[in-house]
Amino acid sequence: MTRKEQKEERKRAILMTALTLFVKRGYHETKISDIAEAVPMSTGLMFHYFESKEELLLELVKMGAASTGAVGKIEDIPPQIFFTEFLKRLFEYSANEPWVFNMFVLMGQARRAGMPEEARNIALSTATIDETALIIQKGQKDGIFRQGDAKLLSICFWATVQGIMEEMALNEDMKAPDPEWIVSMLRK
Amino acid sequence: MTRKEQKEERKRAILMTALTLFVKRGYHETKISDIAEAVPMSTGLMFHYFESKEELLLELVKMGAASTGAVGKIEDIPPQIFFTEFLKRLFEYSANEPWVFNMFVLMGQARRAGMPEEARNIALSTATIDETALIIQKGQKDGIFRQGDAKLLSICFWATVQGIMEEMALNEDMKAPDPEWIVSMLRK
DNA sequence: CATTTTGTTGAATTTTAATTCAATAAATCT
DNA sequence: AGATTTATTGAATTAAAATTCAACAAAATG
């Protein structure tokens, strides 16, 4: 393994450790030294890999923004299946790939308050709300989704998923809900 | 007005200002000097009213914990109406009384991560999850709610409400969803 | 093997925001 | 009014965490 690869590996390790801690305790409540200790490495060495704590966060948020759709492209299937299928995959991934899970939660946290503004901006740039609203509109035309402001429905859908994922992040042993529960918020 | 009342008044002003800022920007991203400026008063004077920033937060969270049920006691009405009615009142209050609204959001944030641990403990002590689960069970026996782990349903219900309220806190102009949307998560 | 580059540490420094404090103004009391 | 208590300010101090740095170790290079 080349030296460059080694470095990349180490960077990845730091990112994953930080991601876990940020999600579990929050960005501000996580000290650089906490991350260093968990990796493990000395506190000073962290700055050999990342310019600053904020850079580290930004790199994570950028990864998150880039990996939108990591759960799989399922755009072309009909609306009635889309959401159920998406949630099913999301929950499956979350059970097996803590990475996907944590990243989802982090992105949601970044979109809301409590983090440096730049992180927020990056997270907001990945606006899924509007695309989802389109799918909901399609479902409304098909007569399978309830009537009402499609964007508002979309916001509520994502807020719900975010809320539940955050809950799961904190309760190690909470199991995922039945996707149908959530989708029935949209269904007629 | 007595001096003591004056002081109480001022304290309340600080608390309300802090509550707004904590919800909008997050606890850690809000500086004491930000709160002072918004009240307005000098930074130093803040410590005449509160021992520390954390004390200020704790006082808010304690108020929140004490005012569980500010939205109204509606325990004795049948399950099928309980949730719809609760949400209706919550959204109404939120529209008219920013205080109720912000407090609800703050308590949810405190329950999750990203705040001093003591705040978290106080917020967690007001465990609504289990009481709600009981009402859901009642509804399940009545055959109006879907089957499944009542506690999990309860968690999902609150996570949903929390997620939507947080969204509303950030989008000044987002309007409240129809309570029915949320309740249909529980309904058969 | 000598040289250069990269990895690593832990202690020193800097930064930022919380907190204290001495000084002054305003209100209350006797 | 004079004395005493409370409110207020802004500058000085402290505390906590981020960040830098000098020194050394390990690995690669030639």
Side-chain angles (χ1 to χ4, degrees):
Chain A
M1 188 190 291
T2 79
R3 217 134 183 208
K4 201 170 180 182
E5 287 170 330
Q6 290 251 346
K7 187 160 184 176
E8 284 308 308
E9 197 89 341
R10 209 82 201 279
K11 250 185 123 163
R12 229 188 317 282
I14 297 171
L15 284 166
M16 290 307 104
T17 307
L19 176 59
T20 308
L21 291 176
F22 286 168
V23 167
K24 190 164 256 23
R25 305 197 200 146
Y27 172 70
H28 287 287
E29 300 261 310
T30 305
K31 291 180 283 192
I32 285 276
S33 60
D34 292 334
I35 305 172
E37 191 176 2
V39 170
M41 64 172 50
S42 74
T43 302
L45 186 52
M46 293 286 290
F47 293 84
H48 187 62
Y49 292 94
F50 295 92
E51 272 192 11
S52 67
K53 186 181 171 183
E54 185 165 345
E55 268 310 313
L56 172 45
L57 172 69
L58 290 180
E59 205 146 323
L60 277 174
V61 175
K62 280 174 195 160
M63 286 170 68
S67 67
T68 297
V71 178
K73 288 278 175 219
I74 41 180
E75 314 262 327
D76 299 323
I77 66 176
Q80 62 267 48
I81 319 182
F82 178 90
F83 293 98
T84 314
E85 198 58 28
F86 171 81
L87 290 171
K88 222 180 101 204
R89 292 199 201 177
L90 181 63
F91 293 145
E92 267 167 22
Y93 264 79
S94 299
N96 308 320
E97 303 278 355
W99 185 86
V100 175
F101 182 81
N102 285 324
M103 189 51 94
F104 189 98
V105 174
L106 184 79
M107 293 302 282
Q109 288 178 350
R111 236 184 291 118
R112 304 211 173 126
M115 268 184 202
E117 198 171 344
E118 199 175 342
R120 183 152 188 266
N121 292 138
I122 297 172
L124 282 171
S125 71
T126 337
T128 333
I129 302 278
D130 291 313
E131 285 107 74
T132 311
L134 289 176
I135 306 179
I136 292 176
Q137 277 181 321
K138 194 147 156 274
Q140 288 176 323
K141 283 201 193 93
D142 296 353
I144 50 161
F145 287 166
R146 70 172 78 245
Q147 291 307 306
D149 183 341
K151 185 164 180 176
L152 186 56
L153 275 164
S154 174
I155 290 170
C156 289
F157 173 79
W158 286 113
T160 298
V161 178
Q162 182 67 28
I164 290 173
M165 294 286 278
E166 282 182 21
E167 210 59 54
M168 289 171 71
L170 263 38
N171 284 236
E172 211 50 63
D173 51 337
M174 171 180 164
K175 53 184 199 298
D178 183 340
E180 286 302 330
W181 298 357
I182 299 165
V183 174
S184 61
M185 173 183 288
L186 304 173
R187 277 240 186 68
K188 214 176 222 173
Chain B
M1 187 190 291
T2 81
R3 214 135 185 206
K4 200 170 179 184
E5 287 170 330
Q6 289 252 347
K7 186 161 184 177
E8 283 309 308
E9 195 90 341
R10 208 79 201 280
K11 250 185 122 164
R12 229 189 316 283
I14 297 171
L15 285 165
M16 289 307 104
T17 306
L19 175 59
T20 308
L21 291 176
F22 286 168
V23 167
K24 191 164 254 16
R25 307 195 199 147
Y27 172 72
H28 287 286
E29 299 262 310
T30 305
K31 292 181 282 194
I32 286 275
S33 60
D34 292 334
I35 305 172
E37 191 176 1
V39 170
M41 67 171 48
S42 73
T43 302
L45 187 52
M46 293 287 291
F47 292 85
H48 186 63
Y49 293 93
F50 296 93
E51 271 192 12
S52 67
K53 187 181 171 184
E54 185 166 345
E55 269 310 312
L56 173 44
L57 172 69
L58 290 181
E59 205 146 321
L60 277 174
V61 175
K62 279 174 196 161
M63 286 170 68
S67 67
T68 296
V71 179
K73 288 277 175 221
I74 41 180
E75 312 262 328
D76 298 323
I77 65 176
Q80 62 267 47
I81 320 183
F82 177 90
F83 293 97
T84 315
E85 198 59 27
F86 171 81
L87 290 172
K88 223 181 100 204
R89 291 198 201 177
L90 180 64
F91 293 146
E92 267 168 21
Y93 264 79
S94 299
N96 307 320
E97 303 279 354
W99 185 85
V100 175
F101 181 82
N102 285 324
M103 189 50 95
F104 188 99
V105 174
L106 184 78
M107 293 302 283
Q109 289 177 350
R111 236 182 292 119
R112 305 213 172 125
M115 268 183 203
E117 198 171 345
E118 200 177 343
R120 183 152 188 266
N121 291 138
I122 296 173
L124 282 171
S125 70
T126 335
T128 332
I129 302 280
D130 291 313
E131 284 107 74
T132 312
L134 288 177
I135 307 179
I136 292 176
Q137 277 181 321
K138 195 148 157 273
Q140 288 177 324
K141 280 201 195 94
D142 295 354
I144 52 164
F145 286 166
R146 68 171 79 245
Q147 291 307 308
D149 183 342
K151 184 163 180 178
L152 186 56
L153 275 164
S154 174
I155 291 171
C156 289
F157 173 79
W158 287 112
T160 298
V161 178
Q162 180 67 29
I164 290 173
M165 294 286 277
E166 283 184 19
E167 210 59 55
M168 289 171 71
L170 263 39
N171 285 235
E172 211 51 64
D173 52 337
M174 171 180 164
K175 52 183 199 300
D178 184 340
E180 285 303 329
W181 298 357
I182 300 166
V183 175
S184 62
M185 175 183 286
L186 304 173
R187 278 239 185 69
K188 212 175 226 172

